[in-house]
């Protein structure tokens, strides 16, 4: 039995992970789950999966859970999340929290030399250099990517030497607004931006997909996970979302991972790696029904997220952290109706321009820069 902690069990990735586990109860056991605000769903999950450890956002709700389930260990808040990341009994920690708030729990899981099934891409963007140093210090810890693109890259690299890689080709659906002009995007609403053509995901990542900043985050994540130079990472628009990403090797051979757009596959692979297993939860791709697989350039004049990410990544040090923090607050302000869609790019650009870069090799600096950047965006574009 592999014991799994799911950080962010009430979210889109978290609920998919519980479906994967639910279909394989002879193999996986839920050790701990964490939600933040969705009390009712967390309660349902406790009833169904009987985890030993639980974490929720507030102390009030944690007290209610303690009364309801006196035999369970209940944590709350940021410290609770951190404790959940480092549970000794866990074999695998799935980080399915949205945002840089996931960093410290990931750090704890690495320090306890766990397998981290990493969905929380913001951790690798904001703190990638620090996390990579930590992985050297705790060599038994491992990160297996859950993001579909990075899982695809990871799967395509299996059996090859990293030195044989020429290019990482990350595919992008193009998001809700593919083909739109800057003029079209001036007045888009939150509802329009939340409609993703191919994937059903949490609100923050859905907005990131519509700005293509999600691809920017993924470029930095890919650099941090696979150690490939930014000049050898490419992004292509692939509207069908069937090819989840590809690796081009030195002999010009390209290996791709393809399948239906369903996060349960990369989640399960991160749990069962290095093995592959069947499951009633995994859908087959009907190749005969595929009419077209097309690939195109990103329109960087409209969707500026990828170029901003390349700038942040190539600058390095604390700049990717600023890119991420500014985006997190900008998305929050957009969702609250306080800024317009295109201002998301403006905020990230200006936040990076005003930042004085520092070494990003320790957690204190990352936390400080994250906090300062958030404050800068709130001070200039919204309120805290
Ligand atoms: N969804 C996808 O298909 C997908 C694909 C690839 C990568 N990812 C990545 O996976 C991560 C999760 O994405 P998602 O779409 O699953 O997000 P989501 O649906 O918004 O879920 C986020 C989870 O984090 C919890 N949470 C939110 N704020 C928190 C806080 N301050 N402290 C502790 N927990 C908090 C939420 O709890 P409550 O709901 O209870 O408030 C929820 O369980 C993101 O990093 C995203 O980029 C997602």
């Amino acid at each position: 039995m592999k014991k799994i902690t799911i950080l962010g069990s009430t979210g889109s990735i978290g609920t998919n992970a519980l479906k994967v586990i639910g279909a394989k109860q002879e193999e996986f056991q839920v050790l701990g789950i964490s939600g933040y605000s969705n009390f009712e769903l967390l309660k349902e999950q406790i009833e169904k999966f009987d985890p030993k450890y639980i974490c929720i956002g507030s102390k009030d709700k944690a007290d209610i859970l303690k009364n309801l389930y006196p035999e369970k260990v209940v944590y709350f808040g940021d410290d609770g999340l951190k404790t959940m990341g480092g549970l000794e009994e866990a074999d695998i920690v799935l980080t399915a929290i949205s945002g840089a708030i996931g960093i410290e729990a990931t750090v704890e899981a690495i320090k306890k030399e766990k397998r981290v099934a990493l969905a929380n891409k913001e951790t690798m963007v904001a703190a990638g250099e620090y996390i990579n140093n930590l992985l050297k210090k705790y060599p038994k810890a491992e990160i297996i990517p859950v993001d579909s693109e990075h899982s695809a890259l990871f799967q395509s690299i299996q059996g090859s030497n990293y030195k044989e890689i020429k290019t990482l080709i990350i595919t992008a659906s193009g998001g809700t607004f593919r083909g739109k002009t800057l003029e079209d995007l001036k007045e888009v609403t939150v509802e329009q931006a939340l409609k993703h053509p191919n994937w059903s995901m949490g609100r923050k990542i859905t907005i990131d997909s519509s700005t293509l900043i999600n691809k920017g985050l993924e470029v930095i994540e890919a650099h941090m996970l696979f150690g490939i130079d930014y000049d050898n990472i490419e992004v292509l628009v692939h509207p069908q979302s069937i090819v989840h990403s590809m690796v081009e090797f030195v002999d010009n051979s390209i290996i791709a991972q393809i399948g239906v757009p369903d996060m349960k596959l990369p989640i399960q692979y991160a749990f069962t790696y290095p093995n592959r297993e069947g499951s009633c939860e995994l859908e087959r791709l009907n190749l005969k029904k595929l009419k077209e697989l097309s690939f195109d350039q990103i329109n960087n004049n409209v969707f500026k997220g990828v170029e901003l990410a390349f700038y942040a990544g190539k600058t390095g040090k604390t700049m990717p952290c600023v890119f991420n923090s500014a985006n997190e607050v900008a998305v929050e302000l957009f969702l609250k109706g306080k800024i317009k869609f295109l201002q998301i790019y403006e905020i990230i650009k200006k936040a990076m321009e005003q930042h004085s870069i520092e070494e990003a090799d320790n957690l204190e600096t990352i936390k400080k820069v994250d906090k300062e950047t958030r404050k800068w965006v709130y001070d200039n574009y919204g309120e805290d």
Side-chain angles (χ1 to χ4, degrees), residues 24 81 89 154 214-215 223 311 352 370:
K24 285 185 164 290
L81 194 66
E89 296 146 84
F154 184 65
N214 187 43
K215 281 309 126 183
H223 169 80
Y311 170 77
M352 292 203 291
D370 175 57

Side-chain angles (χ1 to χ4, degrees), residues 8 10-13 36-38 96-97 119 121-122 147 201-202 263:
T10 49
S12 165
I13 292 286
Y36 185 67
S37 59
N38 197 339
I97 307 287
K121 66 188 83 184
E122 294 90 345
D147 218 346
M201 309 180 284
M263 289 308 295

Side-chain angles (χ1 to χ4, degrees), residues 100 320-330 369-371 373-374 377:
C321 177
V322 175
F323 174 83
N324 179 68
S325 310
N327 178 57
E328 282 191 28
V329 183
V369 170
D370 175 57
K371 200 171 163 194
T373 306
R374 285 168 196 272
V377 181

